[in-house]
Amino acid sequence: LVISDKKFAVEKPGYDVNVHNLDNLKKIITKNSLYSLILKEAKVILNKSLLDEIKAIKLTKDFSFILNTTKDVLEINKQFIDLEKDDFDNYAVIYSLVLRLRGLYMINCILKNRLYSNKDFKNFAIKRGVKNFNLLYEIYRHERDNRKIGKIKISKDDVKILYHLVENETKKKSTKINR
C-alpha cells in the first residue's frame, strides 16, 4: 500500500502494490470491507504513524453489496453454464465464479480475523469439493490478467461443482451476517 498525492503504478512481479491518495483511501476503507485485508498485510517502509492512523479507522463489516451482486451474477452464470457442452470453454464464467468464491473466502478471513492467502483459499475450495482447482485457478488468472490461454480441458461438471459451492457459501454468509 502506497499513499501518495500523485497517482502512479508500481509493477513488481510477486507484489501487489496499491497507490492511493489519503482522502480517497479513507473513503474506500470505510465503504469496502475487503480493504481491511490489504491493511492487515500492509508493510511500513516510511511513516508508521500514518499507517497506524489508517488502521484505526472504523472499517465497515457490511458485506451486503458483495453478497447481493454475487447472487445476481450467479443467476447469469447459471444460464451460461446450462448452454455449455461437456467440454466447458466459457472461461469468463470460470473467472467470475473463482472471483466470487475468493470474495466469499475473504469475508471468512475478515470475520475470523485472519490474513488471506492463496494457499489457504485453495485448501478451502478443495475441502469443499472443488475438483481441478489448479486448472480453474489458472483460467481465472489468465482471464484476470488478459493473457491468452490455450484450450484447457475442463468439464462442465467441474464448473457446476464450483457454481454450487459459490451458491452455498453465498447463502451461508447471507444467513450468518443477517442474523
Side-chain angles (χ1 to χ4, degrees):
L1 175 64
V2 175
I3 301 168
S4 172
D5 291 339
K6 294 181 172 55
K7 188 76 174 164
F8 60 91
V10 177
E11 294 187 24
K12 178 86 171 145
Y15 292 90
D16 183 18
V17 180
N18 292 280
V19 180
H20 294 283
N21 74 42
L22 184 57
D23 292 334
N24 188 39
L25 179 63
K26 286 179 179 181
K27 288 177 193 170
I28 290 170
I29 62 177
T30 58
K31 293 180 182 173
N32 185 341
S33 49
L34 296 183
Y35 238 80
S36 66
L37 293 174
I38 293 171
L39 290 176
K40 279 183 188 232
E41 294 180 9
K43 301 292 182 208
V44 175
I45 296 173
L46 298 171
N47 205 347
K48 181 181 180 327
S49 62
L50 180 58
L51 183 59
D52 291 341
E53 175 189 331
I54 293 167
K55 286 182 174 183
I57 295 171
K58 179 141 175 69
L59 301 172
T60 182
K61 292 225 176 160
D62 179 7
F63 302 106
S64 58
F65 177 78
I66 296 165
L67 295 171
N68 291 335
T69 56
T70 298
K71 289 174 191 172
D72 293 342
V73 168
L74 278 172
E75 289 179 29
I76 295 165
N77 284 340
K78 175 83 169 102
Q79 293 170 10
F80 281 113
I81 291 168
D82 290 343
L83 293 173
E84 284 290 317
K85 297 180 181 91
D86 286 337
D87 278 349
F88 200 91
D89 64 359
N90 188 334
Y91 298 152
V93 169
I94 294 170
Y95 167 81
S96 174
L97 291 171
V98 172
L99 176 71
R100 297 298 168 165
L101 187 60
R102 284 183 78 233
L104 294 165
Y105 179 71
M106 288 176 183
I107 291 172
N108 275 354
C109 292
I110 291 168
L111 293 175
K112 294 177 180 179
N113 201 25
R114 289 189 191 154
L115 291 175
Y116 172 89
S117 79
N118 284 333
K119 180 183 174 188
D120 291 342
F121 172 60
K122 176 182 178 177
N123 291 335
F124 169 84
I126 291 171
K127 282 181 184 175
R128 284 157 182 78
V130 173
K131 294 182 170 72
N132 289 315
F133 177 85
N134 290 336
L135 280 177
L136 293 165
Y137 201 75
E138 181 181 346
I139 292 167
Y140 161 79
R141 286 184 25 235
H142 275 79
E143 288 289 306
R144 177 196 66 198
D145 299 341
N146 291 317
R147 289 186 288 150
K148 293 279 185 208
I149 189 167
K151 179 77 173 149
I152 294 179
K153 282 196 158 234
I154 198 87
S155 77
K156 185 175 181 174
D157 288 339
D158 290 345
V159 177
K160 282 182 174 179
I161 290 168
L162 179 61
Y163 171 86
H164 289 297
L165 176 57
V166 174
E167 182 181 49
N168 291 337
E169 287 296 314
T170 302
K171 287 177 185 173
K172 278 193 226 174
K173 299 292 175 293
S174 295
T175 302
K176 184 176 186 172
I177 290 168
N178 293 326
R179 282 185 197 168

